[in-house]
Structures are given as structure tokens and as C-alpha cells.
Amino acid sequence: MRLRVFAASALALLSVLRAAPLAAQAPGTPDFNALLAAVDRRTNYGASDFSARLTLVSEDPSEGTETRNVRVFRRDRADTLLLLVLKPESELGQGYLRVDDSLWFYDPESRKFTHSSVKENFQGTDAKNSDFGLSSLAEDYAVAAHAEGRLGPHETWILDLKARHDETAYASKKVWITKKDGLLLKSEDYSLSGRLLRTAYYTSYARVGSSLVCDRFTYVDALVPGKKTSILMEEISLRPVPDEVFTKAYVERVNR
Amino acid sequence: MNQSMRIAVRNVGRQKKRTVLLAGAVGLGFFIITLSGSLLGGIAVSARRNFSAAFGGHLYFSGSVVSDRGSEIAVMADPGPLESVLAARSREIASIHRRSAAAGTLIFGPRELRQTLTGVDFVREPDFAGGLRIVSGSLDRRAEPGALVLPADAADRLGVRTGEALLFRASTVHGQRNVTELVLIATYEGQSGFGVSAGYASLGTVNSLLGLGSGEFQTLNVWLQDDRTIDATAERILADLAGRAPLEPREDEDPMRRMADRLLGGSGPRSVGDGERWEGTRYGLATLNDLMAQFTSILSIADALSFWVFLILLAITMVGILNSYRMVVVERTAEIGTLRALGLQKTGVRNVFLWEALFVSLYGALAGLAAALAVLALARTAVLPGGTVLSFFLDSGRIPFAVNPLETGRNLVLLCVASLAAASFPARAASRLPPAAALRAAY
Amino acid sequence: MAILQLSDVHKTYPLGKTEVHAVRGVSLEIRKGDFVSIAGPSGSGKSTILNLIGCIDRPSAGSVRLGGVDTAGLSDRELTRLRHRVLGFIFQSFNLITVLDVYENVEFPLLLGRDVPKPAERRERVRRLIREVGLEQWERHKANELSGGQRQRVAIARALVTRPEVVLADEPTANLDSATGESILALMQTMNREFGTTFIFSTHDAKIVDLADHVVRLKDGLVAEEFRRGGAA
């Protein structure tokens, strides 16, 4: 069952927002670490498996628009993940398999697995491999500052996050979280040098079982003007995925 | 001069058309093998020189440490043990350079380009500027923070000109996203399309991008006095290092992959299993030979193929020699009888034919060799445009060639043996002709 | 003193399934310095006898003694050496080595043996013989630049250069006009007298036979007549 929580479009999210930064945590403000942990919990599926079909539309000013279909399987309790490319034809069968703390990229042409990184961009899009896996905002980031502001029709907390260690994908982030539901609406990701690298807009959430799953999101590249990737998540399921799916043998077999 | 040899020398010029045909076939084979062998040899030498220039040395020592979170971080945190071992071998070493490298994306307006950026300690490497053929701009300001030097074709693809600013996006050694603004100060004749020619910036610039301190570095690149000693020197240095510092096993990984992962930044830090962790800086070594292994094996295959073509041509020529000399024996039967009557022994008659076949082959081989050298010398006068993948295999834009005297000698010996073997059958038949019967043949 | 002895020599050749009996029991004795003509019609066995004397063919039966050596037990190598040491050859078709010039053709046999004369001596011997046969102007000419008579003169010089005891000439004038043939015979006679070399030549020309001092006539592979002029047969 799907439930549209927000009708606001990405354009609406881009609209002017007024933020009132606060110098210190005022009385009545929530525990922001707990808020981040709640965001993580919503995005992760500790008890059940997760599978969905993704449609990624990448717009690049120099290379035009490309559409990809990807099947995603997750088992967050074991921190395992499989992404299998279904379209375009030229990338059919390519896969990313995360097992045992390692991410492997499979190329059906060479029939070889090579080491990859969750911090790498997925198939040249603006999405990173880690965007499809476990969320660990609370573990990786500390809230350095907070503010309140509106994002479209929504009252939000605006949090400046600083990495707790130097192995996060981004050294700092700024996130917009709804006060009402604790949903992540927007994220700005910054480089170590403090430059904005990309902005993520989470424009639609669907209810799956008891969870709310973001099923539409857009990553806008801040360095290359006009470059962005929109992702639509469909056929979302929390039913158990067979164990063998999270194996190299399976990735090889589906390519035969 | 031996009488058989004297007659053989004269006989070579007796049937000019036949001699020209036979020697021509031999010459063609020798031409092909000399041309291909010299070209492949030249390409190997040039590629070796160009690759070592692009990678900045013959031996590339990388360092890595294990972070608190169990990731392998590519930094030579403690170069001490390695530097003291290298100092002890200073006689074999021409120079040592500290380098860092980041693989990332150059962004100029809407255009992006994957590029490796090598950080050079320009203060310690004053000769660096001399190694690049500058196309535009100047290297004078190379040591300034943010100054960038690119292969000309990379700059062309981005549409960036000297003096303009552009962004470089990469990951730190810890895998964190980073971006910095650079200003293009010069372009050089390189082949970024081949994935080897690097962009260059100061060590400090690249280090800050990688999240390293200004005095840190990732690799020690070693130029040896003699590049033929790469493997032996590498083994000796590793043996010296054993026991003093943790060493990365050399044989269990594809060196090209390891090079990409460690030296060029690659795809972020790898997580190290609990049982695999080490204390301090672990040294890894890749050599020019490792990096060129695939290329060298392709060259070897090409070399083997051309050798097989030579052998096939040789076999065809042998059949030609065999048949020609069968006919010659028939034509010269009475003459053979005369020579025998006058006192030439059987072996002498046999040797007339063997010498003759040998001389024909030698003339052909010399002609083939001369033709190949002429073609190569002519080809050498042409200067091909730089900045392409092809120019990586050229010698400053010229088609390289290196005639290997040993190989040429081997081919010549093979040719002589083959010619003698082919001629030996008719030669033996000639020597066994009964003199009286031979004399009865029409002269 | 006999330089050559043939005792009951036979020679048969296979010809398809049959055999040709070319020589049927010839016995001969030739003395040193003889000027011998072996005469007879075609097919009488003249060339076969010369081949047997010249050690380029072996008898089917009987023995050939040359220079006191019985040739029967000799190997091909030894026969070749004997031929080189004792014999000189003149052929009907001259058989010069076409790739060599006059000087080299004459010099050639000198260079084949074990004891090759020193260059100066070699040059002297070759030049003298070329002078003797009247070809000093043609020394550096190839065989195909010479007339038939000139070629045969070269062959005579070549036959004599090793100072053989016996010179065998198979129809030496058959390919020459009569005047040239006579001059060649005269030259052979001169050499025979000058060097004391034994000459054995086959011919079917009665005029030439008349010049010989020892005549052997063959018929059907047998000696039909043998006589010496001015002496008993």
C-alpha cells in the first residue's frame, strides 16, 4: 500500500525558505541525535528484507538524459545489499554486491568481480552506492548547529552535521527534517574543503507495512550546472529475500 | 678458396632469374621478420621510456596504514625504514621522488573528465619541468598552490585554456568526498586518453585534496641507474626491508589493479579484516615491469606471430629451394660427371650445391635486411602528431625501431640451416650420380 | 712398361628387363708413351672401354690395372684420387665448366688434389699450357665465347695440367670440322711427344686412326684387331 505523504514537487522544495538559526539549544528542542537515529530507523529495515525496482533518470548537460532500471535487494540486519542493473541493455547484468564489509562490482563482460566503494557514484549517476544501503546518520555525524525553518509547507529542523570520523562520504551535511513526522526532506552534502557538492530532495514517501519509505528522490549536482538524477522506487516489498540472492554465485547465475 | 665454393659462387649468377626469385622469397621473409622485430623492439623501448616517464620512475613504493576503523589508508606515514634501505642502495639508484596521487573528475562548466592528478614536490624535483613537452602556458608558477598542469588533450576535451580556473573532485585517502579549485597554468604533450598521462600539481595541493598534511606523501618513486635491473633491484630492496617493516605480498594481486587502488587513489579505502591488520606503515611495491606486464605480453605475442610468419615463409622458401635444386641437378648432370671425372670427390659435388643454396639465401637475407633498414629509416623521417594514444609507443613522435643483432643473427642462422637442409636432398642426389652415367647426359 | 692392363674385361648394362653386353672379354696392354686409337663403329664398346680405363665405371667382370694399381678393390674416394693423379680427360663435347674462364678451367684440376702446387708454380704451369695450345689471348674468356676448336684446346690443356700419365680422349674431333680436328690431333701428338704422356682416344674416323701408333679395333664389344705401327701387336 502506498500513501502520498507529500504532494510538494521538487520545484516547490527549491522555493525560498526562511531559517532562523539558533545559537544554542533552546528549551523545548528535541534530542537531535535521537532525531537522526529515528531517520536512520525509518530508512533501514532491521527485521525484514527489502526489495524494490528503481528507475533512475540522469540528466547531464553534456551527455543528455539516460534512464536506468535497477533491482535492489537489502538485508540490513546483515548489512548486505545487491543492486542489479536491468536497463539499459549495455549495462544489463552489472551488479553491486555488498557482503562482509566489502562492495563488489560485477562486470558480466569480463565475468569478474572487482572491489568497489560505497562512496563511489552509482553507474556515473549523482547517486552514490551508499544511498541505496544502510543509513547511519546518527552514527557518522554529530549535530554542530541547528535552526528552524520552512521548506515549502513543512516546518522543519535544519541541522548542520559534522562527521564524527574521517571515513564518512561527506565531511559535513545540512539536513532538513520535518518537525511533525521526523521525515528527511532535503540534504546538502559538503566536501572536506567546505564546498557544496550535491543537494538531495526527498519528495515523496510511501507506506510499506508499518514503514514510511521514500519512493521519489532527486540528487542535484552542485558542481556541474544542470546535472541531476531523479529516482523512482516501485514494487517495494518487505517480504523475505532468499539467502542465495546475496551471493556472488547468484550474480553470476542471473547473467547466464 | 675451396673449389666447390668457387663454382657455387659463380653458379649463383648463372641463372639470374631463378636466383632472383629464390633470393627474393628469402629476402621477403627476412624483410618481414626484420621489420616487425625491429618495430616491436623499438616500440618496447619507447613504451618503456614513455611509461616510466608517465609513472615517474621504475619502482613505486606505496605506503598504507590501518585506520582506527579498520580501513586501509594510502599514506606513507613512516618512510624511515624504506628511506634507510634505499640510502644503503644509493649506488643503484639515480633519484627518488615523493609523490601523492588522486584519481578524480575535472569539472569545467558542464564538462567533466576523469583524470589522475599527481602531486609533485617541485622544490625537490627541479628537473621535473625538463621532462614535459609544453604545448601552452609555462611551468614557472608550478609550485604555487592550486596550479595545475594537464595533458593537452585533456584540456582540449574540457575546453579549458591556461589561466582559467576549474574544479577537481576526488576522494580523500579516507574516502571522503573533496573538491578543490585549480588554475590551469600549462598543458603538455601527453595522452590522458590512454589513462596514463597524469595532471600535475604541487604535492601540497594534492595532499590537501587527499586530506593529508603538507609534508606527507603516498609513494616514493625510484629511478634506477639501469632499467634492466628493475626486477633484481626490487627483490633486493624487498629482502632488505623484510623484518624491518610490514610488506604487502607482491604476487597475490593484479599489479595494474593494485596500482589503480593504491597509487592513483582508486575507489576509496578497503576495509582490512581483523586477521590481516598490521602495525605502522606497510610498504607495497609495484614496478614498471609489473605495470607493463600485459603490454609486454602483447608485444611477445606479436613477436611470436611474426616469427611464425617468418617460419612459414621459410618453409615455403625451403620447398622452393628443394624443387629448384632438383631441376638444377638434372640440368647440370653432365657437368657433375665432368667434375667427378676431373677428380672432384662426392662431397665436393654435394658442397657445390650446399654452398650455392647458402649464398642465394645469404644474398636474399642481406637484401631483405637492407630493404627493411631502408624502410625503417624512411619511416623514421616522418614525425607523427603528438598527444594521441599512438604517441605513447613512439620515440618523440617518430616511429621507433631497434634492430636486435642477436635476433637478426638467430634468424640468419635459422635461414642458413633451413636452406642447407632443403638443398641437402638434391645435393646428395647429385653427389651420388655415377660419373659415367652422368657424363652420358647431354651437356 | 705397361701403364694400363685390361684382362678379360666384361661390362653389361641393364636395359629394361634385359641386359646389354657392351664389352665381352677385352684384354689389352698399353705402354707408357703410346698414342693409342680405339676404333670401331658406333655401339662397338669404345666409350665403355674408355670409361672403364678412366675409372668412371667399373667392369662387370675382369680386371683393370692402371699405373700398376688394380682398380677392382678401390673405394669411390680412392678411385677419384687415382683418376685425379694418373688420368686426364678430353671429351667429345669439350665439357668445359661454363662458369669458369679459360685460365680457371685449366687451373681447376690442379686445385682438387691433396698436394695443391704453390700459386706461383700453378700460374706458371697453367700459363705455359695455355700458351702451348695457343690461347694466351683468350685466357679470361668464358667457354661460350670460344669456337669449338678453341674449347677443345682448353680441354687438352686442362687434361694435361696435372701432368697425368694417361690422357683419355673420347671422340675428341667428332664435334669439329676436319681441319680443326686435324689440328687438335696434331696438338695431341705434339703433347704426346713433348711430355711423353700416353694418349688413348676413341674414334671411328679412319684418317685419325692412321695417326695412332697403337690401334685397337673393336667390334660388338670384342677386340677385332690390335696392332702397333712399327712393332708387333
Side-chain angles (χ1 to χ4, degrees):
Chain A
M1 187 186 89
R2 293 185 47 181
L3 171 72
R4 291 255 174 239
V5 177
F6 299 101
S9 69
L11 278 172
L13 287 169
L14 278 168
S15 63
V16 182
L17 49 109
R18 289 178 296 117
L22 298 178
Q25 192 161 326
T29 55
D31 175 350
F32 292 120
N33 278 334
L35 188 61
L36 289 180
V39 169
D40 286 337
R41 270 199 307 281
R42 175 161 292 121
T43 319
N44 298 335
Y45 314 94
S48 53
D49 289 345
F50 172 90
S51 65
R53 198 169 72 94
L54 306 180
T55 303
L56 294 91
V57 180
S58 307
E59 293 171 42
D60 189 307
S62 53
E63 290 179 14
T65 301
E66 277 185 301
T67 303
R68 283 181 179 76
N69 283 133
V70 177
R71 174 67 67 179
V72 58
F73 301 95
R74 278 169 63 176
R75 179 173 289 167
D76 290 349
R77 62 182 182 276
D79 195 10
T80 55
L81 164 76
L82 173 64
L83 297 165
L84 271 178
V85 181
L86 309 173
K87 265 186 190 172
E89 197 70 29
S90 58
E91 295 171 15
L92 177 68
Q94 291 182 359
Y96 290 82
L97 175 68
R98 178 171 168 83
V99 278
D100 303 330
D101 279 346
S102 293
L103 183 72
W104 298 95
F105 169 68
Y106 180 74
D107 178 15
E109 228 160 74
S110 65
R111 295 183 184 177
K112 273 185 182 168
F113 285 92
T114 48
H115 176 237
S116 183
S117 166
V118 291
K119 290 159 192 155
E120 283 204 341
N121 283 15
F122 176 74
Q123 298 290 83
T125 68
D126 297 292
K128 289 196 316 303
N129 296 327
S130 60
D131 293 330
F132 303 105
L134 268 175
S135 173
S136 53
L137 282 174
E139 185 191 331
D140 292 339
Y141 294 93
V143 178
H146 70 272
E148 291 173 82
R150 287 185 71 83
L151 185 61
H154 306 287
E155 291 290 337
T156 59
W157 291 112
I158 303 165
L159 308 181
D160 284 342
L161 307 182
K162 290 274 174 267
R164 291 182 193 272
H165 57 86
D166 49 15
E167 292 181 27
T168 57
Y170 298 103
S172 56
K173 285 166 99 74
K174 182 179 269 192
V175 293
W176 282 255
I177 299 170
T178 58
K179 285 184 173 179
K180 187 179 163 197
D181 306 298
L183 297 176
L184 180 64
L185 290 190
K186 178 183 173 184
S187 167
E188 286 180 352
D189 302 327
Y190 292 86
S191 76
L192 180 66
S193 56
R195 194 171 186 123
L196 177 64
L197 293 173
R198 71 168 191 179
T199 307
Y201 299 99
Y202 303 91
T203 54
S204 164
Y205 279 79
R207 184 169 292 284
V208 182
S210 59
S211 301
L212 283 171
V213 177
C214 179
D215 62 350
R216 277 179 196 273
F217 38 108
T218 301
Y219 297 108
V220 178
D221 194 315
L223 300 180
V224 184
K227 195 177 171 201
K228 64 177 183 178
T229 299
S230 304
I231 300 171
L232 172 67
M233 202 181 273
E234 296 166 300
E235 298 170 25
I236 300 167
S237 160
L238 298 180
R239 280 194 294 275
V241 174
D243 292 349
E244 59 154 4
V245 168
F246 302 104
T247 60
K248 286 184 177 179
Y250 177 77
V251 180
E252 286 170 327
R253 198 166 65 244
V254 294
N255 271 294
R256 274 191 212 125
Chain B
M1 196 200 288
N2 176 299
Q3 289 316 291
S4 300
M5 196 199 285
R6 176 154 79 162
I7 292 177
V9 171
R10 304 291 175 83
N11 279 344
V12 168
R14 194 161 159 180
Q15 279 272 2
K16 288 194 176 65
K17 203 169 162 186
R18 182 162 54 206
T19 301
V20 166
L21 277 173
L22 273 180
V26 170
L28 180 68
F30 215 76
F31 172 77
I32 290 171
I33 187 75
T34 308
L35 198 67
S36 63
S38 306
L39 202 61
L40 291 171
I43 285 173
V45 170
S46 291
R48 216 171 154 71
R49 191 166 47 233
N50 294 333
F51 268 99
S52 55
F55 287 119
H58 297 127
L59 305 178
Y60 322 102
F61 289 95
S62 57
S64 58
V65 295
V66 181
S67 73
D68 297 340
R69 296 174 64 84
S71 298
E72 180 177 8
I73 307 299
V75 58
M76 197 167 280
D78 176 17
L82 176 59
E83 283 179 336
S84 67
V85 163
L86 293 178
R89 297 214 166 264
S90 58
R91 271 198 294 177
E92 296 157 58
I93 292 169
S95 61
I96 301 172
H97 305 293
R98 296 176 166 198
R99 297 275 168 95
S100 291
T105 305
L106 285 166
I107 301 164
F108 184 67
R111 295 190 187 165
E112 293 177 272
L113 183 72
R114 295 284 298 169
Q115 177 68 49
T116 299
L117 189 60
T118 299
V120 180
D121 188 344
F122 290 116
V123 179
R124 287 178 191 228
E125 285 189 52
D127 298 339
F128 179 83
L132 298 183
R133 287 156 62 119
I134 297 302
V135 175
S136 68
S138 136
L139 293 176
D140 294 347
R141 290 165 50 219
R142 64 187 178 277
E144 289 180 14
L148 172 70
V149 180
L150 279 181
D153 67 327
D156 288 346
R157 273 190 276 168
L158 284 166
V160 62
R161 282 190 243 167
T162 51
E164 291 182 311
L166 66 172
L167 295 174
F168 186 64
R169 184 179 62 207
S171 295
T172 66
V173 289
H174 294 97
Q176 212 159 52
R177 285 303 166 99
N178 206 356
V179 66
T180 191
E181 190 172 286
L182 303 167
V183 175
L184 184 67
I185 59 159
T187 63
Y188 73 96
E189 210 173 78
Q191 299 84 42
S192 77
F194 197 53
V196 177
S197 289
Y200 294 100
S202 69
L203 187 62
T205 301
V206 174
N207 278 353
S208 94
L209 191 70
L210 291 170
L212 296 177
S214 60
E216 291 187 297
F217 58 96
Q218 291 182 298
T219 64
L220 271 182
N221 290 9
V222 176
W223 286 93
L224 298 178
Q225 298 283 7
D226 181 355
D227 75 349
R228 288 168 300 185
T229 64
I230 286 176
D231 289 331
T233 309
E235 289 309 317
R236 282 200 291 272
I237 291 173
L238 286 179
D240 292 349
L241 275 172
R244 294 205 199 191
L247 294 177
E248 183 181 282
R250 280 204 77 208
E251 56 288 330
D252 61 351
E253 261 188 274
D254 171 12
M256 280 307 272
R257 183 74 205 167
R258 190 171 56 204
M259 181 80 179
D261 281 357
R262 306 286 148 69
L263 296 181
L264 305 180
S267 52
R270 175 181 72 95
S271 72
V272 183
D274 287 342
E276 202 200 330
R277 292 186 186 181
W278 60 89
E279 288 295 317
T281 302
R282 183 171 88 160
Y283 300 123
L285 170 61
T287 68
L288 181 66
N289 291 349
D290 292 340
L291 304 179
M292 291 190 68
Q294 277 182 327
F295 172 71
T296 309
S297 67
I298 291 169
L299 275 191
S300 305
I301 291 167
D303 208 23
L305 274 179
S306 67
F307 186 62
W308 275 104
V309 169
F310 173 62
L311 288 185
I312 290 166
L313 283 172
L314 209 60
I316 295 169
T317 310
M318 278 176 74
V319 173
I321 288 176
L322 182 73
N323 284 333
S324 295
Y325 281 94
R326 270 187 177 154
M327 269 163 36
V328 167
V329 169
V330 173
E331 283 168 18
R332 297 190 197 156
T333 300
E335 188 174 309
I336 293 164
T338 307
L339 292 172
R340 293 284 282 126
L342 294 180
L344 192 67
Q345 295 285 5
K346 278 181 173 180
T347 50
V349 171
R350 189 195 63 200
N351 290 346
V352 168
F353 289 93
L354 292 182
W355 279 118
E356 192 173 330
L358 193 66
F359 285 128
V360 168
S361 299
L362 283 175
Y363 290 153
L366 285 177
L369 182 66
L373 290 179
V375 167
L376 288 168
L378 201 68
R380 179 111 185 122
T381 59
V383 180
L384 301 173
T388 65
V389 170
L390 184 68
S391 46
F392 226 85
F393 306 101
L394 302 179
D395 177 10
S396 305
R398 291 170 196 276
I399 295 170
F401 70 91
V403 180
N404 182 336
L406 274 179
E407 232 168 65
T408 310
R410 176 203 67 187
N411 295 339
L412 198 62
V413 168
L414 266 176
L415 177 71
C416 292
V417 170
S419 303
L420 290 176
S424 69
F425 297 100
R428 216 162 70 127
S431 72
R432 288 181 171 187
L433 279 174
L439 278 168
R440 274 197 293 275
Y443 208 70
Chain C
M1 193 190 99
I3 184 85
L4 174 72
Q5 280 177 303
L6 271 67
S7 309
D8 194 22
V9 167
H10 291 254
K11 182 68 188 178
T12 52
Y13 294 107
L15 186 72
K17 287 179 181 170
T18 60
E19 281 191 331
V20 176
H21 220 131
V23 175
R24 304 159 179 261
V26 169
S27 296
L28 273 179
E29 193 174 292
I30 289 164
R31 292 183 209 144
K32 187 165 167 54
D34 275 2
F35 197 65
V36 186
S37 164
I38 296 178
S42 292
S44 60
K46 303 189 296 290
S47 293
T48 307
I49 287 287
L50 278 188
N51 285 347
L52 293 170
I53 295 169
C55 303
I56 53 176
D57 211 350
R58 291 175 188 270
S60 308
S63 77
V64 177
R65 287 183 75 85
L66 180 64
V69 179
D70 186 353
T71 61
L74 299 183
S75 68
D76 182 82
R77 181 165 281 270
E78 289 165 331
L79 273 182
T80 305
R81 254 186 232 136
L82 179 70
R83 219 162 38 229
H84 179 252
R85 200 180 68 238
V86 178
L87 296 172
F89 286 88
I90 299 167
F91 302 97
Q92 179 181 341
S93 302
F94 326 126
N95 292 27
L96 299 183
I97 299 165
T98 48
V99 291
L100 303 180
D101 63 24
V102 167
Y103 182 95
E104 289 166 333
N105 260 290
V106 176
E107 186 194 35
F108 183 72
L110 272 185
L111 302 166
L112 295 179
R114 279 174 169 174
D115 306 312
V116 178
K118 291 203 172 78
E121 187 198 337
R122 216 160 62 213
R123 203 159 39 243
E124 200 276 322
R125 269 162 78 169
V126 173
R127 290 249 160 86
R128 186 174 159 214
L129 276 167
I130 291 175
R131 212 166 40 244
E132 294 275 356
V133 298
L135 289 174
E136 53 268 58
Q137 303 295 318
W138 301 86
E139 229 181 64
R140 291 298 164 198
H141 287 253
K142 292 272 168 60
N144 58 6
E145 296 163 351
L146 304 177
S147 69
Q150 285 172 319
R151 289 183 202 188
Q152 201 58 303
R153 283 165 186 271
V154 177
I156 290 168
R158 182 178 69 183
L160 290 167
V161 77
T162 53
R163 294 179 181 159
E165 292 175 76
V166 179
V167 170
L168 300 174
D170 187 8
E171 306 258 10
T173 58
N175 282 359
L176 302 172
D177 61 66
S178 59
T180 311
E182 278 169 28
S183 77
I184 289 296
L185 257 296
L187 181 62
M188 284 165 60
Q189 270 183 312
T190 308
M191 298 293 177
N192 170 246
R193 284 180 205 129
E194 202 171 313
F195 298 117
T197 311
T198 307
F199 272 80
I200 304 170
F201 54 94
S202 65
T203 185
H204 55 267
D205 185 341
K207 271 197 328 193
I208 296 172
V209 175
D210 290 345
L211 296 171
D213 54 16
H214 181 173
V215 177
V216 179
R217 281 190 199 284
L218 296 177
K219 194 179 177 192
D220 298 332
L222 288 165
V223 177
E225 183 188 11
E226 186 188 4
F227 61 89
R228 289 172 189 276
R229 291 184 213 283

